[in-house]
Amino acid sequence: MEAETFELGVRDEAELTLSIDGWEGPLDLLLSLARVQKVDLAAISILELVEQYLAYISEARALKLEIAADYLVMAAWLAYLKSCLLLPKDPEADPSAEEIALRLQMRLQRLDAMREAGARLIGRDRIGRDVFVRGAPEGLRLVRKSAWQARPFDLFAAYGSVKARSTPPLHVVHPRSVMTLEEALERVGRMLGTRLDWTLLEAFLPLTEDPQFRRSALASSFVAALELARLGRVDIAQDEPFGPLMVKTS
Amino acid sequence: MDEFGLDEFTRAVEATLFASANPLSLDEIADYAGEGEVAEALARLAEHYAGHGIELVERGGRWHFQTAPDLAHLLRRTREEPRRLSRAATETLAIIAYHEPVSRAEIEAIRGVQISKGTLDVLMDAGWVRPAGRREGPGRPLLYATTAEFLSHFGLGSRRDLPGIDDLKAAGLLDPIDEGSFQLQLESEGEED
Amino acid sequence: MDEFGLDEFTRAVEATLFASANPLSLDEIADYAGEGEVAEALARLAEHYAGHGIELVERGGRWHFQTAPDLAHLLRRTREEPRRLSRAATETLAIIAYHEPVSRAEIEAIRGVQISKGTLDVLMDAGWVRPAGRREGPGRPLLYATTAEFLSHFGLGSRRDLPGIDDLKAAGLLDPIDEGSFQLQLESEGEED
């Protein structure tokens, strides 16, 4: 393939013109023209190369050959580059014409290097062409098997966990010291028989050290007093909100 | 012969046989390897490869290389990779062990969670659980039970050695467990391996 | 060593490599051949096979046996290449190999033409080129790189063995391509397909 390119490059111009479709783009054409100029791309004259390209394109146009747009774009760009290279140096220009020319040269070198590398790669001892692997390998198979691991503790803990989860919850209410309403009614009713005058509700409570029982007794006795008042057996009086509750027989 | 390398013709025969997709007859070998005494080259190669991992063999007048028969087991290698049983699988195994023979529906009823098909597969793959017939009755459900391998893996003489409910209670394993923290614990154990 | 036969482990490595349909890494060899020093066994085998019609080679960290290159003329049945690459595909493959990882736009910048759709497909279908992630940056372009199969097919131990890569690197011809600095209006070619 490399040889083919080179060959095209050294043909006379008429023939080159006719084979315009054979190029893989303007860069390919430029590289082929450069190849004619010198083998060492690092030493080619960009100005000469530009002139060759422009001559090539103008000849193709003279022969009324169809030229793809990108070749013409490249021609315009190279014509511009040429004028920059010929004109006195413009110190303002950035990049300078020389720098652009150098980049074009580098670009051609890059493409050329890859073209040659490709040819060398293709020419290596390749499997299936120059060297051969075993024709009938038996093939390998690796079967991965899981070695499952669990400790006895894991097993027992899991069962415990299942059991703990699935056993219906049993609610046990611990016995608490309370005075029921019935007890309070009986007690307050009985005590009212002996006390006639206004008496503090608390006076009806039994003596106890148990604060929980005392609270229960107070609540039950209060409700019992309300019940007795509803039945018309007692009167209840309170002078102010949250003031002491007084009870007396009706 | 080896120490001095193989002669050119024997090399050619060796390469031909190696690259061929089929066993080759003497004539076919000669087609490739060119001028030479094929039979002699084969004899040299056979001698050379004696004791190697591959050998030159003749079958019905055709020759080929093959892996030495004593190494055939290498071609299909089984590798065991330790893997910790998932929590679902561990619970399922425990339920089977305590309640066997037990159907899948019963396991799910006890766990309170559905079990995936994979869970029982894993336990059977591990060799700890086996199908144990069907229960006569509606649907004839398949039953599962543990294996002798299960007992030996968990160091149990028999299923009677499974700790009873009272033992579990005494060990604190029946206390209501904070599910969240238990799970975390199991997962962190899982990361160890 | 030969006269006394190969040791068991070296035999196992030999058999494994012979039986495998693909080049194997050291780890893969160890998976099959079992306990032993794989690297040492490979060194013994490589030495043993020197001068034979087949040889042991390393390509991109993976090992395989292949026929000796000097016997190519005997074994090549036809002059036909196994996979005849177009000039575009050859250049594209070279650019990917020498510049990897490289984007499509960079390949096009070097070649000065758009890559036709089929070119990269052919290289990927051959198993020589793979997508290699995306480059962080504008457009996040997809990158291409070569495969281990590329190395083994072209007989390269590693990418360092690419012909002339050191010289090209030294000459700056493999430097990252600054697409912006060279406005050739070549982008207009993109309209072709």
Side-chain angles (χ1 to χ4, degrees), chain B:
Chain B
M1 192 82 201
D2 298 325
E3 303 293 38
F4 315 98
L6 295 175
D7 65 279
E8 280 308 300
F9 183 67
T10 306
R11 286 181 75 227
V13 173
E14 183 187 31
T16 300
L17 285 170
F18 172 83
S20 172
N22 306 302
L24 298 176
S25 67
L26 295 187
D27 287 349
E28 288 165 336
I29 295 169
D31 276 352
Y32 285 97
E35 289 286 309
E37 284 298 326
V38 177
E40 282 177 22
L42 288 170
R44 272 197 294 279
L45 284 174
E47 189 189 347
H48 170 84
Y49 276 97
H52 272 246
I54 51 184
E55 56 187 32
L56 184 61
V57 291
E58 186 214 341
R59 298 271 183 275
R62 291 171 180 275
W63 295 75
H64 72 281
F65 280 114
Q66 68 174 29
T67 309
D70 66 304
L71 296 173
H73 65 280
L74 297 178
L75 311 189
R76 192 178 184 283
R77 192 104 196 188
T78 305
R79 191 164 66 176
E80 298 225 316
E81 290 170 346
R83 280 179 70 184
R84 183 167 279 270
L85 214 54
S86 71
R87 183 176 172 187
T90 311
E91 286 187 8
T92 303
L93 178 62
I95 292 167
I96 295 171
Y98 276 88
H99 296 268
E100 74 179 46
V102 66
S103 72
R104 182 177 170 146
E106 288 161 345
I107 297 169
E108 290 178 343
I110 295 169
R111 269 196 83 210
V113 194
Q114 285 220 320
I115 51 174
S116 67
K117 169 110 179 58
T119 305
L120 282 166
D121 287 349
V122 160
L123 295 175
M124 289 197 273
D125 178 51
W128 295 334
V129 165
R130 60 185 166 88
R134 291 182 181 275
R135 173 168 296 135
E136 291 310 324
R140 301 191 67 242
L142 194 61
L143 300 175
Y144 296 94
T146 53
T147 62
E149 217 177 314
F150 163 80
L151 293 176
S152 66
H153 181 93
F154 289 94
L156 300 165
S158 76
R159 282 187 55 246
R160 280 192 305 276
D161 292 350
L162 285 169
I165 296 297
D166 290 342
D167 301 320
L168 295 178
K169 194 175 283 175
L173 293 173
L174 268 183
D175 292 343
I177 288 160
D178 178 357
E179 296 272 322
S181 76
F182 186 60
Q183 193 147 16
L184 274 180
Q185 189 193 334
L186 278 183
E187 277 165 13
S188 65
E189 281 173 32
E191 284 158 21
E192 283 166 23
D193 49 17

Side-chain angles (χ1 to χ4, degrees), chain A residues 168-181:
Chain A
L170 184 62
H171 294 288
V172 180
V173 180
H174 292 287
R176 287 166 58 202
S177 40
V178 291
M179 179 183 279
T180 63
L181 182 58

Side-chain angles (χ1 to χ4, degrees), chain A residues 43-106:
Chain A
I44 54 162
S45 156
I46 287 293
L47 202 55
E48 197 179 313
L49 181 62
V50 166
E51 275 167 357
Q52 281 178 18
Y53 184 92
L54 295 176
Y56 181 94
I57 295 295
S58 71
E59 181 139 346
R61 288 174 117 172
L63 290 171
K64 297 198 176 4
L65 289 175
E66 253 185 58
I67 302 170
D70 48 327
Y71 288 85
L72 300 177
V73 170
M74 175 68 99
W77 187 83
L78 288 176
Y80 169 75
L81 176 61
K82 179 182 164 187
S83 66
C84 290
L85 286 169
L86 292 176
L87 287 171
K89 274 186 192 160
D90 175 4
E92 299 292 301
D94 181 36
S96 70
E98 284 73 19
E99 222 173 299
I100 296 172
L102 204 64
R103 283 181 196 168
L104 175 59
Q105 188 178 10
M106 191 69 166

